[in-house]
Amino acid sequence: MKKLSILILSCACMLGTVLSVAPGQAQAQSSALKKGIQSERVLELQQQLHSLGYFKAGFTGYYGSLTSKAVARFQRDNGLTPDGVAGAATQAKLESFGEVRVTALDQLARIIYSEARGESFEGQVAVGAVVLNRVQSGEFPSSIPDVILQPGQFTAVQDGQYRLKPNKTAYRAARQALNGADPTNGSLFYYNPAIATAKWSKSRPAVISLGRHTFTN
């Protein structure tokens, strides 16, 4: 009976150890960045890789094959398993090289603030979503900065409002858009019907109206 009690106690201790480790392991796995993920963290990863010379494509916030290959090259050069997945060890190694000062998140928040600071929060997220939809569309540049600065596309860039400093709400809206929020249902354009003069803008089928902006494709 004494041996049986010891055996049961040992099994319970082993089970307790497994249960206590499993949540941490699950958290580590869930924090890994890999193909198919779109988020603010992926955008940061791309910029870190770019600053070190590994990523030369557009900053999209989407973890595709180009990002995976860049991660694998970085891993190979730094003694890590070159699996193309940015797990905890890879992220820690990247962070050891320092932070990226000027980021595409800043630029996205800036265009949101300059174009839609008088709109609701949803309306601000919508402007950010249009930028990201363009990045993924194949009809526009494949980089957040290049989409924003493409000549003739955003009034705020043309009239200088883009130089205004974004507030916390604009940053929050940018993060929401980067993490997949899209109130526009995939729209690539928007305009203000009260002041728009371009006939082609008004001729496009409206997808949704949010505040003073009508979003179209």
Side-chain angles (χ1 to χ4, degrees):
M1 179 64 72
K2 184 176 181 180
K3 290 183 179 180
L4 180 59
S5 299
I6 293 173
L7 179 61
I8 292 173
L9 180 60
S10 298
C11 290
C13 291
M14 290 175 63
L15 180 59
T17 301
V18 171
L19 290 176
S20 64
V21 171
Q25 291 175 336
Q27 185 176 4
Q29 291 174 355
S30 66
S31 66
L33 300 175
K34 55 187 177 181
K35 280 187 177 181
I37 294 176
Q38 177 180 320
S39 71
E40 176 191 350
R41 290 175 61 225
V42 174
L43 180 62
E44 292 172 352
L45 172 70
Q46 291 173 337
Q47 292 173 134
Q48 286 174 312
L49 291 167
H50 174 78
S51 70
L52 297 172
Y54 290 94
F55 187 75
K56 299 183 180 177
F59 299 144
T60 63
Y62 179 77
Y63 204 116
S65 59
L66 293 177
T67 303
S68 179
K69 289 177 182 177
V71 168
R73 287 194 295 272
F74 173 81
Q75 291 169 326
R76 192 176 295 110
D77 289 348
N78 288 275
L80 301 168
T81 303
D83 57 8
V85 175
T90 298
Q91 292 180 44
K93 189 64 178 179
L94 279 166
E95 289 170 4
S96 72
F97 287 93
E99 296 182 359
V100 179
R101 292 187 178 182
V102 179
T103 72
L105 173 64
D106 295 322
Q107 292 174 289
L108 188 59
R110 191 174 291 271
I111 196 65
I112 288 171
Y113 183 75
S114 59
E115 286 273 319
R117 60 187 178 278
E119 300 297 314
S120 66
F121 181 70
E122 183 182 32
Q124 293 184 48
V125 174
V127 169
V130 166
V131 172
L132 296 174
N133 291 340
R134 289 188 177 193
V135 168
Q136 297 292 339
S137 72
E139 300 177 34
F140 295 88
S142 58
S143 169
I144 290 171
D146 291 343
V147 163
I148 292 171
L149 299 176
Q150 186 179 16
Q153 296 300 311
F154 293 98
T155 302
V157 174
Q158 294 174 294
D159 65 18
Q161 293 187 69
Y162 179 65
R163 292 193 293 270
L164 296 173
K165 183 179 179 180
N167 60 14
K168 292 182 180 179
T169 302
Y171 274 99
R172 189 159 59 93
R175 290 187 170 95
Q176 286 268 7
L178 278 167
N179 287 297
D182 183 6
T184 76
N185 298 317
S187 296
L188 297 174
F189 303 91
Y190 63 89
Y191 68 95
N192 184 337
I195 60 175
T197 57
K199 292 182 179 179
W200 69 269
S201 294
K202 297 181 178 181
S203 68
R204 305 183 74 91
V207 175
I208 190 172
S209 291
L210 294 170
R212 291 173 292 181
H213 288 145
T214 298
F215 294 83
T216 68
N217 273 327

